[in-house]
Amino acid sequence: MVQEYHVPGRAGTGTATGRTAAADFSYTYWLHPTAPEHSMSNNATSAAPLLDYVTSCALPTPWAQFTLHAFVEHSTGKEHLAMALGDIGNGEPVLARVHSECLTGDVLFSQRCDCGAQLEGALKRIAAEGRGVLLYLRQEGRGIGLVNKIRAYRLQEAGADTVEANLQLGFHADARNYELCLPMLEQFGIRQVKLMTNNPRKIDALARLGIEVTERVPLLVNRNAFNTGYLDTKQAKLGHMMSTPSAAIAEDGEL
């Protein structure tokens, strides 16, 4: 039995030096049709909770000491994470990032995407604000898994773009599921977020879950010779908002 979890107080806020570091295309993302009724919550009134909170620990990073929270998804056994900083349960809008796992970008420093730089940039921004949360969802490759993402990369090397490659493998352009965000955010008492994203469908997904996005914070980082085509495709076919006033543009994970 997982122990009852209460929203923690303020986490450590010490900082340190960081390392350098709308479309006409048919798009599908998975969201249960009863999301507004909060059927996906993991609270006591939910008949079929999606995941359980398990445990937490301190996580010092180059930018701040976060609290790392672990959750386990019932249907898949996948372990999802939340990195929290400061008093995020006080009812005020929380700076937030919903980040899908990208092992090649987040861990192996791949320049084929902007994922690793977005992860770093979001954590830096939360540290600078002294308060926020990052949800780390284990849905590699826009939901198709690591091996299939590598297969998709191979198809891209043969001329397909990132969307075409997923479709050629028999997947949706984007198979990610954002239902888990609701019970994870509810665990901390979060109902309003300032969301760091370029993806309007992610904003819509949270809204359908009953989470109010009070502000969109652009997260434009690390455009380079290897990922320009990928970023352009996300804008043209997936509707990502890749333009913003110059003052808000971030480079190399800096925000």
Side-chain angles (χ1 to χ4, degrees), residues 111-113 224-230:
Q111 299 298 293
R112 300 185 70 138
C113 63
N224 61 67
F226 300 101
N227 67 18
T228 293
Y230 163 79

Side-chain angles (χ1 to χ4, degrees), residues 195-247:
L195 191 64
M196 291 180 281
T197 187
N198 306 322
N199 186 351
R201 290 176 175 84
K202 192 176 292 184
I203 297 172
D204 180 60
L206 291 185
R208 290 182 60 191
L209 290 168
I211 301 297
E212 181 184 358
V213 178
T214 63
E215 179 184 352
R216 182 183 78 88
V217 180
L219 196 56
L220 302 176
V221 292
N222 194 35
R223 178 179 284 269
N224 61 67
F226 300 101
N227 67 18
T228 293
Y230 163 79
L231 296 177
D232 288 345
T233 299
K234 288 208 298 184
Q235 179 175 10
K237 291 188 173 182
L238 299 179
H240 286 218
M241 297 174 281
M242 307 303 291
S243 299
T244 191
S246 58

Side-chain angles (χ1 to χ4, degrees), residues 122-139:
L123 292 176
K124 286 182 176 179
R125 179 64 179 263
I126 291 171
E129 185 145 320
R131 177 176 177 269
V133 64
L134 183 141
L135 305 186
Y136 196 87
L137 305 182
R138 305 294 298 279
Q139 42 189 5

Side-chain angles (χ1 to χ4, degrees), residues 3 9 12 22 32-33 39 44 61 63 77 89 101 123 129 131 148 158 162 166 168 183 191-192 228:
Q3 64 178 330
H32 195 282
S39 63
T61 74
W63 315 289
E101 177 184 31
L123 292 176
E129 185 145 320
R131 177 176 177 269
N148 284 320
T162 183
N166 280 28
Q168 288 175 27
R191 303 302 308 173
Q192 296 178 310
T228 293

